[in-house]
Amino acid sequence: ERGACAVEKALLGSMWQWEQWRDGALIDSWVERNLCVNQGLTYLLGCGFSSVTAISAWYVAIYDNNHTPASNNTYATPGFTEATNYSEATRPTWSKGSVTNRQLTNSANKASFTFSSAATIYGAALVGGGTAATTKGNVAGGGKLFNISAFSSGSKGMASSDVLKVTVALTVQDV
């Protein structure tokens, strides 16, 4: 029998909805799942049930090498090479709304990348905290890597001026 606050099993995951735009037209869209890495899960437990300080701003980082996400990837050693050839000066903010029905999403304000040159992108990650979380390519400063989403197709080619938009929805449920 469960106690008042006990959880036998809970499921935490995210859904990444992608849109590729070229010359103002949507040319591709797809949905991917993710891997919540140990560093992100440890942060979540520490923030929710211990005295770990909450990270107020999270950012989407895209990567351009063929990396298979692993549970031991961290902010300092992500295993992927972050793509930086987009025109935005910093990593796009994951501008989340309020928690609704056990879900937190940025669907009202998608993260957006405008490519300054052609690129091949393999996936993305949700990062935050530390001293330089907005800085493209930064892996120093004590940030946190929450999760990584690799493209199931392997990669997606981007042309110069393509816009890649992403919605990240975090969901938790009792199972």
Side-chain angles (χ1 to χ4, degrees):
E1 179 178 319
R2 288 194 220 197
C5 293
V7 176
E8 289 180 7
K9 291 183 184 178
L11 177 65
L12 171 70
S14 68
M15 187 70 67
W16 296 62
Q17 297 176 336
W18 295 91
E19 299 173 0
Q20 183 178 3
W21 294 80
R22 184 172 294 152
D23 300 324
L26 178 65
I27 63 167
D28 198 3
S29 64
W30 64 99
V31 176
E32 303 289 352
R33 296 210 180 266
N34 76 294
L35 171 69
C36 289
V37 299
N38 293 341
Q39 183 177 50
L41 294 172
T42 300
Y43 162 78
L44 187 64
L45 284 174
C47 187
F49 298 102
S50 188
S51 59
V52 172
T53 302
I55 296 171
S56 59
W58 290 88
Y59 304 90
V60 178
I62 54 176
Y63 61 91
D64 60 7
N65 65 315
N66 192 6
H67 171 65
T68 300
S71 60
N72 64 345
N73 291 149
T74 66
Y75 187 88
T77 56
F80 58 78
T81 303
E82 187 174 349
T84 58
N85 59 329
Y86 52 91
S87 60
E88 290 75 17
T90 62
R91 291 172 176 156
T93 303
W94 181 56
S95 299
K96 60 208 174 289
S98 299
V99 176
T100 305
N101 295 323
R102 299 170 320 277
Q103 185 177 71
L104 191 58
T105 181
N106 68 324
S107 61
N109 192 5
K110 300 171 184 172
S112 185
F113 301 85
T114 306
F115 287 87
S116 54
S117 60
T120 301
I121 303 301
Y122 291 83
L126 194 59
V127 300
T131 58
T134 64
T135 304
K136 296 189 229 182
N138 177 269
V139 294
K144 301 287 185 221
L145 171 62
F146 186 74
N147 60 13
I148 305 172
S149 176
F151 297 159
S152 57
S153 64
S155 66
K156 295 284 184 174
M158 302 291 145
S160 182
S161 299
D162 276 6
V163 178
L164 187 61
K165 296 181 181 183
V166 61
T167 301
V168 182
L170 299 179
T171 304
V172 65
Q173 68 181 20
D174 187 26
V175 291

